[in-house]
Amino acid sequence: MPGGNSPVLVVTRLDDVTADTVISELNRRKQPVVRLDPGNFPASVTMTTAFDSCGLSGLLRTATRAMDIGGVRSVYWRRPSMYAAPDGNRWAGCPLVR
């Protein structure tokens, strides 16, 4: 991020009004924010990651934002939706290995 202003990752439901207040304050302070609800994965949230000798890297995409995972400043975790496997237990068109 420009000027070293790394984003805060807010992990919560999309309808969490308490998190809305936190996000509003972060926005007022001009702090980049990415809101993520894990319950939306993989329908509208995608993530590619790698972990090597340099640490964690990758890209997180929501319906409205994209973020370098390695650049996250902090995480605010507050009551996210539960993740549920896609219908038919398929990942990207592949059958579930049993």
Side-chain angles (χ1 to χ4, degrees):
M1 309 244 51
N5 202 8
S6 300
V8 172
L9 178 60
V10 177
V11 183
T12 188
R13 297 174 185 262
L14 297 179
D15 62 353
D16 182 346
V17 296
T18 300
D20 291 344
T21 303
V22 171
I23 291 169
S24 291
E25 180 60 21
L26 291 169
N27 285 328
R28 188 187 69 74
R29 296 178 184 201
K30 300 190 183 328
Q31 174 63 51
V33 177
V34 175
R35 184 180 199 142
L36 166 69
D37 186 351
N40 292 333
F41 180 80
S44 63
V45 173
T46 60
M47 183 169 43
T48 57
T49 59
F51 188 76
D52 58 23
S53 61
C54 296
L56 183 65
S57 63
L59 188 64
L60 171 72
R61 289 187 185 274
T62 69
T64 60
R65 301 272 193 279
M67 176 186 70
D68 173 13
I69 294 170
V72 172
R73 175 183 180 143
S74 58
V75 176
Y76 175 52
W77 187 278
R78 182 183 153 73
R79 301 181 183 174
S81 298
M82 295 292 293
Y83 166 76
D87 290 341
N89 294 322
R90 292 184 171 274
W91 285 85
C94 299
L96 180 66
V97 177
R98 297 183 195 267

